[in-house]
């Protein structure tokens, strides 16, 4: 792969890293800044209020998927990617400078709310824009490899956020973190977004979009045209269902599960998550390259079969894994299985849609599924735990994977679709997924 291809991969995925850094540090540093924005009193209530504002971001992600996906189809992939990084930079700056309750009363809460609305829009749109750009900008025989960097960058953002948290905790007092230290990660996030903005201003539009004639279509990027491809949209939601539930279970929820259910020390649980996520990040490109050789469906089916039949045993053993090595081994096994989905889900979804509706089709469909299943995974887990039936959640994750397995078994292979030959989609026109007539048989 040439230097220009690597530059496109870096620019296309760098925003994801900053997005997930910002998303991660809000959740993890909320314990330090929650009391700054509400009256003194119940610390738990203040934290719940702060996390309630965090939840607003999930509701905005489908809106971001629609708005930024529409812009990506109507104005180009570069325009959408530049706007997402602008929104993320603004949200980080707002949180970094938000006034405390002592200074502005509930005005600080209002600033947090606006920041989370912008962050939700940005995250929802970033997935659509970056997935489409990485898929279209890469060589046809490297699309799986290139799109795998979406989850590489997402995981890197979480790891950088976790690393910064550990660094600040070890070098600042608890009082300093509660007073002003919590603002540091948001300043870092704003600076990172500024760098990405500079990089994206000089990026080139994808040749697939520029040469497709999509820019001249009057109804490109509209819900009307997306409705003509509702089968593909529902397909994206169904194939996302199992993957997003499993991903959130073994990433964001894993540390809490190990500390609260398995009784592991929080520091040990965090170390397990950090090490597992690092290995997970490194194997994404390998799986992406494999999909370029053998196809997307074999990896998706492997993930779904593994999650359907291994989730209950893995979670049951993790429940009793109170030391580092057994927990790490089980976490790595689970994340290895999930890699069959995460490494290629971006390109699979992009390959399903014609050029004129690709960003909206990917962004909105994914965001809705992610909000319904991924965003609620932790709440469902805690609901089962509070009901005294924690193992019910294991079966819930396995069941979601089983639904996606049916989809993977019945969907067509997308690896060899030629994105350059996708027919333009016009009002009233019905087109088969991604121009199926132009598919070249696999060699």
């Amino acid at each position: 792969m040439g230097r220009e291809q690597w530059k496109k991969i870096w620019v296309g995925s760098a925003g994801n890293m900053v997005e997930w850094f910002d998303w991660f540090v809000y959740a993890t540093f909320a314990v330090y800044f929650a009391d700054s924005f509400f009256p003194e009193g119940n610390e738990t209530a203040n934290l719940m209020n702060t996390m309630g504002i965090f939840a607003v971001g999930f509701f905005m992600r489908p809106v971001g998927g629609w708005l930024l996906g529409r812009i990506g189809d109507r104005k180009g992939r570069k325009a959408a990617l530049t706007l997402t990084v602008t929104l993320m930079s603004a949200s980080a700056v707002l949180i970094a400078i938000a006034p405390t309750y002592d200074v502005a009363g509930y005005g600080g809460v209002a600033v947090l709310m606006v920041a989370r609305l912008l962050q939700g829009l940005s995250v929802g749109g970033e997935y659509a824009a970056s997935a489409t750009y990485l898929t279209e900008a890469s060589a046809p025989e490297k699309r799986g490899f290139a799109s795998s960097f979406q989850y590489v960058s997402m995981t890197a953002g979480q790891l950088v956020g976790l690393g910064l948290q550990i660094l600040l905790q070890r070098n600042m007092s608890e009082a300093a973190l509660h007073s002003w230290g919590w603002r540091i990660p948001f300043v870092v996030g704003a600076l990172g977004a500024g760098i990405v903005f500079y990089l994206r201003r000089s990026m080139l539009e994808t040749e697939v979009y520029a040469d497709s004639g999509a820019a001249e279509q009057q109804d490109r990027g509209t819900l009307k045209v997306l409705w003509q491809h509702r089968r593909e949209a529902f397909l994206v939601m169904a194939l996302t269902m199992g993957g997003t539930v499993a991903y959130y279970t073994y990433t964001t929820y894993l540390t809490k599960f190990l500390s609260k259910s398995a009784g592991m020390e929080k520091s040990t649980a965090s170390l397990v998550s950090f090490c597992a996520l690092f290995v997970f990040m490194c194997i994404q490109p390998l799986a992406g390259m494999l999909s370029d050789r053998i196809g997307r469906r074999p990896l998706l089916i492997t993930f779904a079969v593994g999650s359907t039949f291994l989730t209950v045993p893995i979670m049951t053993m993790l429940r009793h894994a109170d030391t580092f090595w057994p927990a790490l081994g089980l976490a790595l096994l689970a994340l290895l299985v999930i890699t069959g989905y995460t490494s290629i889900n971006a390109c699979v979804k992009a390959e399903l849609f014609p050029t004129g509706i690709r960003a909206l089709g990917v962004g909105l469909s994914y965001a809705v599924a992610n909000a319904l299943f991924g965003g609620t995974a932790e709440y469902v887990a805690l609901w089962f735990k509070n009901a005294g039936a924690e193992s019910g959640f294991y079966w819930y994750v396995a069941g979601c994977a089983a639904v996606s397995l049916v989809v993977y078994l019945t969907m067509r292979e997308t690896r060899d679709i030629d994105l350059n030959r996708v027919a333009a989609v016009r009002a009233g026109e019905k087109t088969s997924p991604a121009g199926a007539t132009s598919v070249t048989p696999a060699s």
Side-chain angles (χ1 to χ4, degrees):
M1 183 174 288
R3 181 178 179 181
E4 189 65 29
Q5 286 291 320
W6 279 112
K7 181 180 178 181
K8 289 179 179 179
I9 289 175
W10 162 243
V11 175
S13 59
N16 256 335
M17 183 172 68
V18 181
E19 288 275 9
W20 280 88
F21 171 86
D22 288 341
W23 195 268
F24 179 84
V25 296
Y26 184 101
T28 56
F29 279 87
V31 66
Y32 294 110
F33 65 75
D35 292 338
S36 298
F37 296 98
F38 297 95
E40 292 184 10
N42 191 323
E43 293 184 3
T44 302
N46 289 346
L47 182 59
M48 289 179 65
N49 289 332
T50 306
M51 294 311 293
I53 297 174
F54 174 76
V56 170
F58 275 102
F59 292 107
M60 291 303 295
R61 287 176 70 166
V63 180
W66 164 72
L67 178 62
L68 276 303
R70 176 182 171 87
I71 292 173
D73 285 328
R74 298 188 69 82
K75 303 296 183 182
R77 317 313 188 201
K78 176 182 176 180
L81 285 168
T82 304
L83 182 54
T84 60
V85 77
T86 303
L87 291 173
M88 81 172 78
S89 178
S91 66
V93 170
L94 284 175
I95 298 175
I97 66 173
T100 63
Y101 181 83
D102 292 338
V103 174
Y106 285 106
V109 175
V111 173
L112 276 185
M113 182 68 75
V114 171
R116 284 300 294 169
L117 290 173
L118 292 177
Q119 207 170 57
L121 283 172
S122 179
V123 171
E126 176 67 26
Y127 182 92
S130 63
T132 303
Y133 185 84
L134 287 171
T135 302
E136 291 183 348
S138 57
E141 70 278 6
K142 298 288 186 181
R143 288 201 299 254
F145 173 73
S147 67
S148 70
F149 280 86
Q150 186 165 56
Y151 269 81
V152 170
S153 56
M154 286 169 61
T155 307
Q158 296 179 63
L159 290 174
V160 172
L162 182 58
L164 180 59
Q165 181 184 35
I166 294 172
L167 181 66
L168 293 177
Q169 287 172 337
R170 293 189 175 184
N171 291 277
M172 296 184 69
S173 66
E174 192 80 2
L177 279 170
H178 280 275
S179 176
W180 60 273
W182 60 266
R183 297 182 187 271
I184 294 176
F186 298 104
V187 174
V188 172
L191 292 175
I195 294 172
V196 175
F197 177 80
Y198 173 78
L199 292 172
R200 287 184 171 178
R201 284 188 62 189
S202 61
M203 70 190 298
L204 299 175
E205 186 58 79
T206 66
E207 293 181 6
V208 171
Y209 182 83
D211 297 341
S212 67
E216 284 72 48
Q217 299 169 30
Q218 294 301 312
D219 57 354
R220 64 195 182 279
T222 62
L223 293 175
K224 176 183 177 181
V225 176
L226 180 59
W227 182 250
Q228 297 173 12
H229 297 273
R230 56 190 177 274
R231 179 180 178 277
E232 289 73 47
F234 285 115
L235 182 61
V236 167
M237 286 189 277
L239 67 87
T240 300
M241 179 182 177
T244 191
V245 170
Y247 176 76
Y248 276 92
T249 297
Y250 294 113
T251 55
T252 58
Y253 182 58
L254 179 64
T255 303
K256 299 181 184 70
F257 180 75
L258 290 175
S259 61
K260 299 293 185 182
S261 297
M264 183 178 291
E265 290 288 336
K266 289 183 179 179
S267 58
T268 305
S270 296
L271 185 59
V272 169
S273 293
F274 186 92
C275 294
L277 283 173
F278 181 80
V279 176
F280 172 74
M281 177 182 69
C282 294
I283 63 177
Q284 299 306 297
L286 300 178
M289 285 193 292
L290 181 61
S291 79
D292 287 327
R293 294 183 64 86
I294 67 174
R296 321 298 189 212
R297 288 180 70 244
L299 270 71
L300 291 171
I301 292 171
T302 299
F303 149 71
V305 171
S307 290
T308 300
F309 295 102
L310 294 179
T311 294
V312 174
I314 289 176
M315 292 295 288
T316 301
M317 288 187 285
L318 274 173
R319 172 70 175 77
H320 298 93
D322 55 358
T323 56
F324 176 80
W325 289 110
L328 178 61
L330 290 167
L332 287 175
L333 174 60
L335 289 173
L336 177 63
V337 171
I338 295 171
T339 295
Y341 165 80
T342 56
S343 61
I344 58 171
N345 82 96
C347 67
V348 170
K349 294 164 187 174
E351 288 165 344
L352 287 170
F353 291 96
T355 305
I357 197 66
R358 183 169 293 130
L360 178 61
V362 172
L364 182 58
S365 305
Y366 169 80
V368 170
N370 190 261
L372 290 176
F373 300 104
T376 60
E378 187 169 331
Y379 297 99
V380 173
L382 294 175
W383 183 86
F384 276 108
K385 183 177 177 63
N386 291 333
E390 189 168 32
S391 61
F393 177 67
Y394 314 162
W395 290 100
Y396 168 76
V397 177
C400 290
V403 173
S404 290
L405 175 59
V406 175
V407 177
Y408 303 152
L409 290 171
T410 56
M411 69 180 286
R412 55 168 302 178
E413 177 58 63
T414 63
R415 177 189 61 168
D416 296 306
I417 287 175
D418 187 348
L419 300 182
N420 290 298
R421 296 183 182 178
V422 174
V425 181
R426 303 187 183 281
E429 236 179 81
K430 286 282 286 184
T431 310
S432 58
T437 57
S438 63
V439 177
T440 303
S443 56

